[in-house]
C-alpha cells in the first residue's frame, strides 16, 4: 500500500523478477506497477487479479526480451575451452580442499556436510562479486 499526502495513495501492485544481469534489471525499470486509489478500491476490487497478471506478464516479457550477456566461455576456440574445463576442475578441487580445511577448524564444524557445501558455494560467489579476477598475461 502506498500512502502519500495527495491523490496518489492507494493499493499498489508491483511485480519484479530478480535480475541476473544489468540488462534484465534495466528492462524492468518503469514497468510492473499499478495503483488503485483508495477512493476507487471498493469499486475496482474485481480488477486486482487481472492487474497482478498484467504486471507479472509485463516484467516477464521485458526480462525475456532483454539482451543476453555473452559469457566469455561462449566465444573461445576449442583449445581455450579445453583449458577452461581443466581450470574448472582444478578450481573445484582447490575450493573443496580449502572449504574442508576451514570446516575442520571452524567452531561450527558440527554443521552438516550439505550446510558446509552451501556455505562454501556462497563464499565463492560472494568473493567473486567483491573483487575482480586478475587478468592473465599471454
Amino acid at each position: 500500500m502506498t500512502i502519500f499526502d495527495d491523490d496518489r495513495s492507494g493499493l499498489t501492485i508491483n511485480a519484479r523478477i530478480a535480475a541476473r544481469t544489468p540488462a534484465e534489471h534495466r528492462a524492468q525499470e518503469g514497468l510492473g506497477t499499478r495503483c488503485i486509489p483508495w477512493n476507487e478500491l471498493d469499486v475496482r476490487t474485481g480488477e486486482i487479479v487481472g492487474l497482478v497478471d498484467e504486471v507479472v506478464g509485463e516484467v516477464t516479457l521485458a526480462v525475456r526480451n532483454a539482451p543476453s550477456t555473452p559469457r566469455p566461455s561462449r566465444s573461445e576456440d576449442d583449445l581455450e575451452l579445453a583449458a577452461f574445463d581443466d581450470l574448472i576442475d582444478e578450481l573445484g578441487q582447490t575450493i573443496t580442499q580449502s572449504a574442508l580445511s576451514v570446516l575442520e577448524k571452524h567452531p561450527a564444524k558440527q554443521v552438516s556436510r550439505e550446510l558446509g557445501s552451501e556455505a562454501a558455494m556462497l563464499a565463492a560467489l560472494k568473493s567473486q562479486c567483491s573483487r575482480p579476477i586478475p587478468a592473465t598475461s599471454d
Side-chain angles (χ1 to χ4, degrees), residues 12-18 28-34 51-60 63:
T12 300
I13 300 166
N14 189 301
R16 288 283 169 262
I17 294 174
Q28 297 179 69
E29 287 180 2
L31 301 176
T33 303
R34 303 292 185 277
L51 288 174
V52 169
D53 289 342
E54 188 177 305
V55 295
V56 168
E58 187 175 81
V59 295
T60 300
V63 168

Side-chain angles (χ1 to χ4, degrees), residues 3 14 18 20 23 32 46 54 84-86 93 99 103 114-116 118 127 135-136:
I3 300 175
N14 189 301
R20 295 172 293 176
E54 188 177 305
F84 183 67
D85 288 339
D86 289 341
Q93 292 171 359
L103 287 171
E114 292 81 8
L115 188 60
E118 183 177 345
S127 170
T136 58

Side-chain angles (χ1 to χ4, degrees), residues 114-128:
E114 292 81 8
L115 188 60
S117 234
E118 183 177 345
M121 287 186 292
L122 290 172
L125 288 171
K126 186 176 180 182
S127 170
Q128 192 276 330

Side-chain angles (χ1 to χ4, degrees), residues 30-63:
L31 301 176
T33 303
R34 303 292 185 277
C35 183
I36 301 175
W38 293 128
N39 61 352
E40 298 175 19
L41 188 57
D42 288 341
V43 177
R44 296 181 60 190
T45 300
E47 295 178 37
I48 294 174
V49 172
L51 288 174
V52 169
D53 289 342
E54 188 177 305
V55 295
V56 168
E58 187 175 81
V59 295
T60 300
L61 183 61
V63 168

